[in-house]
Amino acid sequence: MSPDYSESRVRVPASTSNLGAGFDCFGLALQLYLSVKATIDRQSTVDCTVSPVSGRENNGISLTSDNLIYQAMKYASVQEKLDLPSVRLEITNDIPVSRGLGGSAAAIIAGIKLFSLLCNHSLSDEKILQYTTELEGHADNAAPSLLGGFVVNCITEQNSVISLRQSWPDEIKILVIVPELHLDTKRARAALADQVSHRDAVFNLQRSALFAAAIAGRRPDLLWEAMQDRLHQSSRAGLVPGLAEALATERQPGLLGIALSGAGPSVVALANNRFQEIGQTISQSFQKQGVNTQVLQLGIDIEGCEVLPAS
């Protein structure tokens, strides 16, 4: 007789993407997590129930079957032509929602991974990235959340995803300044121009190449220039009070580079000292506009999506 339920647990890191010039190319996994336990209950009469367990960012998570984690499970089950039994999700989330820290990518990765575990159906990393990119539209957050570390991404003309993980220098630390307001990714995407000039395209190509070389060559002195951007940040800077001023923070000791985190509104700063002072300086740009912030000093997650022991 089969059991009435089975369960699996995963933990998925947040991520910051773009890192300035590397629009839709670069992603970096951060030590800030979404944890989910999924339990199959064969006696349930509904597709999905969701219970927030703990975590600073559980507010706003859908508690019904339109929850993104469940939607990702369902999507994978349809693509793989397998039935998904009724499931109960218990969520612990510390990733700020709609703040440019890869929360949706982490949720989708969690859902697809939980589908594969609960249905005992192995999926390669390549297939997980493919499905996540089909749902997200881009791979720059999904790849580091799945693989960990600093990841360079490319989508081919056949819509397959190439993701290459690179080492990250230990001496380069991450500060994330998180405004206490949301910015919908669709709105941030809609703010972008459909066409850019040849000059601006070359500007970003040069700096994204320089960023990858500076990280590989451990040349933090080059990151300030390498994180300059002409493709997306200026178009998004006006969507949030104080964001333009934060991105215009002047170079100072310890601050290696500054950029919009993903679609925003969070700002990511790379630094090697004076972390508290730098965080306060960037925060003041938002606070002058009446927007409160939290400053997070985060390590680099190198594990990516982890399967946790059943509780």
Side-chain angles (χ1 to χ4, degrees):
M1 181 175 180
S2 62
D4 287 336
Y5 65 89
S6 58
E7 69 175 49
S8 295
R9 298 172 65 222
V10 297
R11 187 180 78 164
V12 187
S15 60
T16 184
S17 62
N18 301 331
L19 295 165
F23 180 65
D24 279 4
C25 300
F26 298 149
L28 182 64
L30 303 174
Q31 289 180 346
L32 191 68
Y33 297 99
L34 165 71
S35 298
V36 187
K37 180 172 79 170
T39 303
I40 287 179
D41 187 346
R42 304 186 191 283
Q43 296 180 347
S44 177
T45 59
V46 297
D47 290 338
C48 176
T49 57
V50 181
S51 302
V53 177
S54 61
R56 296 191 303 269
E57 301 292 337
N58 271 353
N59 290 337
I61 291 177
S62 172
L63 304 182
T64 60
S65 60
D66 64 350
N67 181 280
L68 186 55
I69 298 169
Y70 178 74
Q71 288 298 309
M73 297 178 74
K74 192 68 177 177
Y75 183 84
S77 73
V78 171
Q79 298 304 309
E80 295 296 311
K81 298 179 173 58
L82 291 173
D83 291 331
L84 180 65
S86 297
V87 64
R88 183 173 68 253
L89 303 178
E90 298 177 45
I91 299 173
T92 299
N93 181 42
D94 287 320
I95 304 175
V97 176
S98 297
R99 313 286 180 85
L101 289 170
S104 62
I108 294 169
I109 292 288
I112 296 173
K113 191 67 176 180
L114 287 167
F115 154 77
S116 71
L117 293 168
L118 290 178
C119 294
N120 193 26
H121 182 72
S122 179
L123 291 176
S124 67
D125 287 346
E126 290 77 15
K127 184 59 69 71
I128 293 173
L129 277 178
Q130 177 188 330
Y131 289 160
T132 306
T133 303
E134 289 170 1
L135 289 168
E136 272 271 277
H138 48 94
D140 48 337
N141 289 107
S145 284
L146 178 64
L147 305 174
F150 173 51
V151 186
V152 180
N153 303 287
C154 174
I155 297 179
T156 71
E157 291 186 354
Q158 293 75 36
N159 289 321
S160 62
V161 182
I162 300 172
S163 295
L164 182 62
R165 178 172 156 168
Q166 303 287 292
S167 62
W168 184 267
D170 292 337
E171 63 272 18
I172 300 177
K173 309 300 182 183
I174 306 298
L175 290 173
V176 181
I177 295 81
V178 185
E180 291 186 0
L181 46 78
H182 299 99
L183 178 60
D184 183 73
T185 301
K186 291 182 179 179
R187 182 184 173 206
R189 286 262 167 183
L192 302 180
D194 291 331
Q195 296 182 335
V196 298
S197 71
H198 179 272
R199 184 184 298 272
D200 288 346
V202 171
F203 182 96
N204 271 55
L205 282 170
Q206 290 176 338
R207 281 148 189 82
S208 59
L210 178 62
F211 186 93
I215 292 296
R218 296 184 177 270
R219 289 290 305 276
D221 57 303
L222 300 178
L223 292 176
W224 185 268
E225 184 62 35
M227 293 177 72
Q228 303 304 305
D229 163 78
R230 289 184 182 175
L231 294 188
H232 67 106
Q233 293 188 160
S234 61
S235 299
R236 293 165 163 172
L239 299 178
V240 174
L243 179 55
E245 294 82 0
L247 292 173
T249 299
E250 294 184 356
R251 197 169 187 174
Q252 57 188 269
L255 178 59
L256 303 174
I258 187 170
L260 190 63
S261 182
S266 296
V267 171
V268 60
L270 308 188
N272 57 13
N273 60 59
R274 297 183 68 251
F275 308 113
Q276 183 174 352
E277 295 90 338
I278 291 169
Q280 289 176 346
T281 298
I282 300 171
S283 292
Q284 286 172 2
S285 296
F286 293 105
Q287 292 165 358
K288 288 177 181 177
Q289 300 297 323
V291 178
N292 292 328
T293 62
Q294 57 174 320
V295 179
L296 306 175
Q297 183 176 341
L298 299 173
I300 307 302
D301 176 275
I302 61 172
E303 301 297 335
C305 178
E306 290 187 276
V307 178
L308 304 178
S311 59

